[in-house]
Amino acid sequence: MITTIATVSVFVEDQDRAKAFYTEKLGMKLTNDSEMFPGSGMRWITVAPEGCPTELTLFPMGEQWEHYREAMGKPQCFTLHCDDIDQTYRELTERGVQFLGEPQKQPWGSFAILVDSEGNQIVLGQRS
């Protein structure tokens, strides 16, 4: 049976720039950086928060995946969770992470939208 979600892809133009953003700015752990297909020169790069079983794949744009280019620079279909959104917002802002606005409180929790190195918009959330 299915037990976890293994990876979620984030499409990026520059894998090295994205890897630096997710590890240095967001503080995620680099979990893999290896060749995607033998002889392809393409890399399979994954990052995750410490202890998290689900990884983000920093998926390279390439001719064979050109149809995904429309997804870059827009809201992404996943949320990053934190325990204290106000503190996390302050810390990430100090590291140079761009947000589209301050955290917003809702009945279900709080959220703020951050922008990664590739222009992707990602929800940072905290449950109530």
Side-chain angles (χ1 to χ4, degrees):
M1 295 301 297
I2 297 170
T3 59
T4 62
I5 296 172
T7 61
V8 175
S9 294
V10 179
F11 297 97
V12 302
E13 191 71 46
D14 184 319
Q15 284 184 299
D16 288 319
R17 180 175 60 208
K19 180 172 86 170
F21 177 85
Y22 282 88
T23 58
E24 296 169 16
K25 301 267 187 195
L26 297 187
M28 292 188 185
K29 178 183 171 192
L30 178 66
T31 54
N32 191 26
D33 186 349
S34 59
E35 190 172 34
M36 187 179 290
F37 303 111
S40 71
M42 297 174 65
R43 292 160 53 208
W44 183 258
I45 299 175
T46 56
V47 296
E50 187 70 41
C52 181
T54 303
E55 299 172 320
L56 291 179
T57 302
L58 305 178
F59 205 83
M61 291 305 307
E63 291 178 20
Q64 62 271 50
W65 297 290
E66 190 63 30
H67 55 283
Y68 288 120
R69 187 167 300 282
E70 292 181 23
M72 282 182 46
K74 296 189 174 117
Q76 300 300 300
C77 298
F78 65 90
T79 299
L80 300 175
H81 179 259
C82 63
D83 292 327
D84 183 334
I85 196 161
D86 293 320
Q87 178 183 340
T88 303
Y89 172 82
R90 281 191 304 275
E91 288 175 8
L92 294 180
T93 300
E94 288 171 5
R95 292 183 196 168
V97 175
Q98 175 190 352
F99 283 85
L100 296 183
E102 295 184 4
Q104 303 294 310
K105 309 271 189 241
Q106 301 298 326
W108 50 265
S110 301
F111 77 97
I113 299 173
L114 66 87
V115 180
D116 76 3
S117 61
E118 309 307 294
N120 295 310
Q121 298 172 24
I122 300 168
V123 174
L124 174 67
Q126 175 188 344
R127 295 182 187 105
S128 291

